[in-house]
Amino acid sequence: MTDPQRPIQPPSLIQNLRALFEDTIDLFRKEIELAKAEFSEKLSQAQSGLTMIFCGLLLCAVATFLLAQALVAWLAIYFGPAGAALAIGAAVLLFGIIALWIGAARLKPQNLKPVRTIRATSENATQFKETFNDKIK
């Protein structure tokens, strides 16, 4: 218990600096955890983009084969089964191009940038400066 007649002393500069140091360490730990989580999310996004690019390339390869096969068949027979193969090859090629486009969009650098970590770190640095200046006064 504190003595009711004794006035409460404000924290000393050393106590303030120690508290500031402990808060700063805790803040940096949380920043690192946030960066790890965001990096993991962006890595997953990159893996998804690479998977879509691979699928797109595979579909384009199949489409090229089908289109070439259809063209040969069409030139050999002058219509018939080749028309169907040509239509299927064109559709597969279209899906392949779409998959490539989606995958490439997911791999753009601005989509992989850890925006939340950068914003939080900037805000915390500003708050740290303000707190440090307040405790020094």
Side-chain angles (χ1 to χ4, degrees):
M1 289 220 153
T2 59
D3 186 3
Q5 296 174 353
R6 188 173 174 192
I8 297 175
Q9 296 279 341
S12 69
L13 179 61
I14 299 292
Q15 290 171 330
N16 281 336
L17 289 175
R18 180 177 292 136
L20 179 62
F21 181 71
E22 290 170 359
D23 289 346
T24 302
I25 289 174
D26 186 48
L27 176 65
F28 284 127
R29 283 187 186 130
K30 288 179 182 176
E31 289 293 330
I32 290 170
E33 289 173 16
L34 174 63
K36 284 180 184 178
E38 192 167 8
F39 179 74
S40 176
E41 178 185 317
K42 296 300 179 178
L43 183 60
S44 177
Q45 182 180 350
Q47 288 172 336
S48 172
L50 287 172
T51 300
M52 289 301 290
I53 285 177
F54 176 76
C55 289
L57 288 172
L58 183 63
L59 289 172
C60 285
V62 170
T64 301
F65 175 76
L66 290 173
L67 287 171
Q69 182 183 15
L71 183 58
V72 169
W74 181 70
L75 290 173
I77 300 176
Y78 296 111
F79 302 109
L86 187 61
I88 290 170
V92 171
L93 180 62
L94 178 64
F95 287 126
I97 290 170
I98 290 170
L100 285 171
W101 181 70
I102 291 170
R106 289 183 181 174
L107 289 175
K108 287 184 178 179
Q110 63 265 24
N111 292 337
L112 297 176
K113 189 168 136 181
V115 176
R116 292 186 310 244
T117 300
I118 293 170
R119 185 179 333 117
T121 302
S122 176
E123 290 171 0
N124 290 333
T126 302
Q127 184 179 4
F128 173 77
K129 287 177 189 175
E130 292 171 358
T131 303
F132 184 77
N133 288 336
D134 290 344
K135 294 215 179 201
I136 294 298
K137 290 179 183 180

